[in-house]
Each structure stands twice: as structure tokens, then as C-alpha cells.
Amino acid sequence: MEKPKEQISGGNAQTPKAKKLKIPLNKTTSEVKYILNSVVFSCPICDEINTLDLNELDPILGGETLCVQCQDVLHVPGGYRTRSELPKLKIYAGLPVAVRKFPVFYWNHPVIHELDERGITRIIIQYGLWGFCQRCHHQFSPAVLMNLPHTTGEIVDYRSLSSDEMVEMKSLRTGCCPYCSHRILLVIISEVPHYVISASENLSHRWDDRR
């Protein structure tokens, strides 16, 4: 999965409201078995047994798959491949969220609040935020999803977006998928494992050294 570049949102920015709403969270499972070179686990939504080859998992970013039964999107952390922090890892199932409700869901998510308090919210653009169309399963850019809650004004600066990201942003701002017009997303916001944060910090240090 290709890492998205960071985006700078335009238009009138919306700031999170002080009052936090209680929102539904992604269902998860941590009961994972290893069989040969695969991980085997039950879907957090329908309990169907799923199998994923470890070679399909990036050691840091992990990977996504569809449940063979309910076709929900499942995120499997890369730690299951490297066996890093296994007791703390969870497999996440996508949560149906109306496109127009996504900003409310994002602003009130406890993971977003925690990252914001630690001053590392931008890491969510690299790991921890996934969004798919519930109908056609198109995967949206995390950069677009992260900036969508900030672009509630009429004027938005699209110059920092790629052509594909521009299509996504414009369509999501109208409340639907650009490819099938469906109005429901399957959203995953996950806790960010420590090994991901460490890898991100190492990359930042390397970048600083080169300047």
C-alpha cells in the first residue's frame, strides 16, 4: 500500500467542539492463530473464519482484506507478521459511517483525541486511518480523509491534491463515493502500535540529518 503524501487543507477550518459525543467504535478481535505461513482469525462482525498469508502484510503498515462472508473490510496490523507487541494488537473491522457524518465521527474518536494530546496527530495519515466505499470498496486516500473534516467551508484549496485525490475530495464533500455514488463509508480508526510510532520517528530523524 503506497504511503500518501501529506496534504494541507484549505477553506474555512472547523475546530473540534469542546463537548465530546459518544460514538460507536470499530469492532475488533485479538484472537489470532498461526497456521503455517498464515494468520487465522474470526471476523469481528460475523465470526466467519478468515485466513491471510503473512507475506501479504507489510511489516509496519499491515494489510487489509475482505471478510469472505460479510465482505466487511478488515485491517490486520503488520505486527502479526513480525510478532511485535502481539498481546496488544487487534484486527479491526470497518464501521459503516455516512459520508456526511464522517467529520463528527473523526472529531469525537478517542484515538484522534489521544494522538492530539500527544502532538502526533499527523501520524494518522501514515497509519491508523482507512476508509472504503461500502458498496464498491474503493479505498480513499488517508490524506483526503484526514483533511475532509477541516474543509467545511465553500472555498477549498485543491492545489496540493493529486488529480485522483481531488476527485475524491470533491465527491466526498457532496456526501458520496465518486465511483458508485454510494453514501456510506467503511471507516477504520485504529490505535497506533508503538513500533509504528518508533518507525515514524526514525524516518523523521533521517530526514532531519539529510538537511
Side-chain angles (χ1 to χ4, degrees), residues 9-10 12-16 99 101-108 112 129 142-153 169 173 189:
S9 61
N12 297 327
Q14 173 183 321
T15 55
V99 176
K101 295 288 187 180
F102 175 75
V104 175
F105 177 75
Y106 180 88
W107 285 134
N108 289 279
I112 302 300
L129 174 62
V144 171
L145 293 172
M146 181 180 177
N147 282 283
L148 183 63
H150 296 267
T151 59
T152 56
M169 179 67 85
R173 276 171 52 82
I189 297 182

Side-chain angles (χ1 to χ4, degrees), residues 13-199:
Q14 173 183 321
T15 55
K17 300 237 176 134
K19 184 179 179 180
K20 297 177 183 178
L21 300 177
K22 187 174 181 180
I23 59 172
L25 301 178
N26 298 94
K27 291 186 176 181
T28 65
T29 182
S30 57
E31 297 181 3
V32 178
K33 296 180 180 179
Y34 287 86
I35 299 180
L36 298 177
N37 197 42
S38 300
V39 287
V40 180
F41 54 92
S42 60
C43 172
I45 301 298
C46 68
D47 293 328
E48 181 70 18
I49 299 299
N50 285 262
T51 301
L52 186 64
D53 193 308
L54 287 172
N55 291 326
E56 296 183 32
L57 292 179
D58 181 275
I60 295 177
L61 299 179
E64 288 70 55
T65 186
L66 292 179
C67 174
V68 294
Q69 176 67 29
C70 68
Q71 294 294 287
D72 198 352
V73 178
L74 308 174
H75 170 69
V76 184
Y80 284 112
R81 176 175 177 174
T82 60
R83 313 233 175 173
S84 302
E85 304 176 37
L86 285 180
K88 299 180 181 179
L89 293 183
K90 301 174 185 176
I91 292 176
Y92 286 76
L95 178 73
V97 178
V99 176
R100 292 192 179 279
K101 295 288 187 180
F102 175 75
V104 175
F105 177 75
Y106 180 88
W107 285 134
N108 289 279
H109 200 286
V111 167
I112 302 300
H113 287 302
E114 180 183 354
L115 294 177
D116 184 53
E117 289 175 356
R118 298 171 63 184
I120 56 173
T121 310
R122 297 299 295 184
I123 199 174
I124 205 76
I125 208 171
Q126 299 169 314
Y127 186 100
L129 174 62
W130 297 269
F132 303 80
C133 174
Q134 185 186 46
R135 177 186 291 165
C136 71
H137 292 124
H138 169 75
Q139 182 174 1
F140 292 94
S141 163
V144 171
L145 293 172
M146 181 180 177
N147 282 283
L148 183 63
H150 296 267
T151 59
T152 56
E154 294 183 4
I155 301 175
V156 178
D157 184 1
Y158 292 103
R159 290 175 296 179
S160 62
L161 301 176
S162 69
S163 57
D164 289 340
E165 290 170 338
M166 188 182 301
V167 169
E168 291 184 359
M169 179 67 85
K170 287 183 176 179
S171 187
L172 290 179
R173 276 171 52 82
T174 66
C176 66
C177 171
Y179 301 103
C180 71
S181 299
H182 194 56
R183 295 181 175 275
I184 305 294
L185 298 174
L186 291 174
V187 179
I188 297 174
I189 297 182
S190 77
E191 297 175 1
V192 181
H194 184 265
Y195 67 82
V196 174
I197 296 175
S198 297

